[in-house]
Amino acid sequence: MGAVSGTVAAVAGLASAQLAAAAGRPEASPVTAVGGAVVDLTPVAVREWAIRLFGTSDKLVLGLGILAVLAAVAVGTGLLAVRHLPAAIAVTGGFGLVGALAALSRPDASWRDALPSLVGALVSAGVLYLLVTAGKRTRPAGAGQGGAGQDGAGAMDRRGFGRLVVAVLAASAGVGLGARRLGAHGSADATASRARFVLPRPTVPAPPVPAGADLRVPGLGPFLTPDQDFYRVDTALVVPRVDADTWRLRIHGEGVARPLTLDLRGLLARPVVEHDITLTCVSNEVGGPYAGNARWLGVRLGDLLREAGVRPPSEGGPADQLVARSVDGMTIGTPVEAVMDGRAALLAVGMNGGPLPFAHGFPVRMVVPGLYGYVSACKWLTELRLTTFAAYDAYWVRRSWAQQAVVKTQSRIDTPRPYADLAPGRVPVAGVAWAQHRGIERVQVRVDGGAWQEARLGAADGVDTWRQWVWPWEATPGPHTLEVRATDGTGAVQTGVRTGTVPDGATGWHTVDVRVRALGSGLSAGADRE
């Protein structure tokens, strides 16, 4: 009875908290708030391990883990309530307080963000009291009331207790459904605004992707990464859904002679440009998947800052850091000099010919070629503040990452896959290499530590995108180790020294181990398998 009571009380509390959050800010729900606080407090090494292990499913795993802990606590609290109800009520209130404090710790939180956790705790405590009190008065089904040894007036039989449990669960399901509908209604305006949004025609369109940029090698992804395949690494447990019609951007701070507040229509009244840019996450291990290439549409950020009267440090401007703030409070610090040095730094509204997906920052995000995303690629942008690196540390800098981080030259073998079982003969070894804003001039491959061999590069689409490459390998039987390295547009050769991602990106050559079958053994490529 105790375990059932605790679990049902927890379900009722969570449903009520979700409803309260849906009526205010979805980010303030207990699971989301606690999850965000866990992300903030997790050591960098543990966070990087989770990203490597779970990839883009890390947020789902975190949410399920929090729910599992809550379930265990709910069972324990229910068992405690049977023996000492006041103590169990205190435990429930304590967990509500933890959720409230976690919500208040989030960026840009207000006192209202504490309400969902407090409401959930209050409902959970009330339901726990109701069920435990009723459970202690249960009598066997069919037993009469009154008389010696029997329950007193007001007792219910076990069927009655079961009906009470079902009624509470049904009410909780109704509340949860209401929360879901209210949340959907709250995001409906954002969804509708994105559906109505028509991308402007670029004043300066990107040239067509050069013929030969996409080598079309089996096992090698497309030159332009589809939206659904583009990596996503951020701290948002709930993807913000921003209404484009009510979106505003404020530009202010040191050296801003003419502060600006823009809506989307006002932003897009300026010249709109299109540019192909590869983005890379600083959490990307050597050979990792967190790099993607897309065609972005937006307004040049450097021009917008000059319109506001901003001068870069090289021209005597007082601010060397541009702090971008997301609607969920995330802060990202970007060097002002990099934004204003003429590169295609954009406030992007489009991706691969369509509006930005919500998961990638709709309605407006930053894209700055040559810098890792944590210092350049703020999504769901709402504020740009000019300051200095000495005066302010952005979110990731406060968590052991470098203040400034230029993308390092990297190359990756996409095919063959690690531990592939290959037929002897010619095998295409292929992949991608990137050094945004410097370009890739050369890629070399070697086998078993031998001499470096020149790979054939795909056509270059400017210096801000990756390049595909392929090398035909005459594979001989046995185990082999393949390695790749790249040379960027400045002539610098990718280092083979292996380092981790912290504090400013991984280095080293990507290595793939494969096995080539002996001549005449197994099935050769293209053999009849029937």
Side-chain angles (χ1 to χ4, degrees), residues 2 84 123 153 374 380:
H84 199 292
V123 171
Y374 86 100
W380 314 293

Side-chain angles (χ1 to χ4, degrees), residues 375-444:
V375 293
S376 67
C378 186
K379 293 182 280 192
W380 314 293
L381 183 66
T382 188
E383 180 188 11
L384 292 171
R385 180 169 65 90
L386 278 297
T387 182
T388 65
F389 284 107
Y392 184 80
D393 286 337
Y395 179 91
W396 290 113
V397 176
R398 298 195 297 269
R399 289 159 178 82
S400 303
W401 298 89
Q403 279 188 330
Q404 303 183 47
V406 173
V407 171
K408 296 178 178 177
T409 303
Q410 282 288 347
S411 51
R412 187 180 73 200
I413 299 171
D414 287 343
T415 184
R417 298 293 184 184
Y419 311 114
D421 183 31
L422 305 172
R426 176 158 292 194
V427 173
V429 181
V432 289
W434 58 86
Q436 292 95 303
H437 206 55
R438 301 186 302 279
I440 293 293
E441 291 298 326
R442 186 183 195 189
V443 171
Q444 297 169 300

Side-chain angles (χ1 to χ4, degrees), residues 450-511:
W452 289 103
Q453 307 295 322
E454 297 293 326
R456 178 170 65 89
L457 292 175
D461 185 21
V463 297
D464 293 332
T465 67
W466 60 19
R467 291 184 77 173
Q468 294 187 351
W469 57 267
V470 62
W471 176 64
W473 173 38
E474 295 296 336
T476 57
H480 296 285
T481 298
L482 305 172
E483 291 177 292
V484 63
R485 72 179 184 185
T487 300
D488 69 21
T490 70
V493 180
Q494 176 185 348
T495 179
V497 177
R498 184 65 72 103
T499 64
T501 57
V502 182
D504 59 357
T507 64
W509 299 329
H510 188 209
T511 301

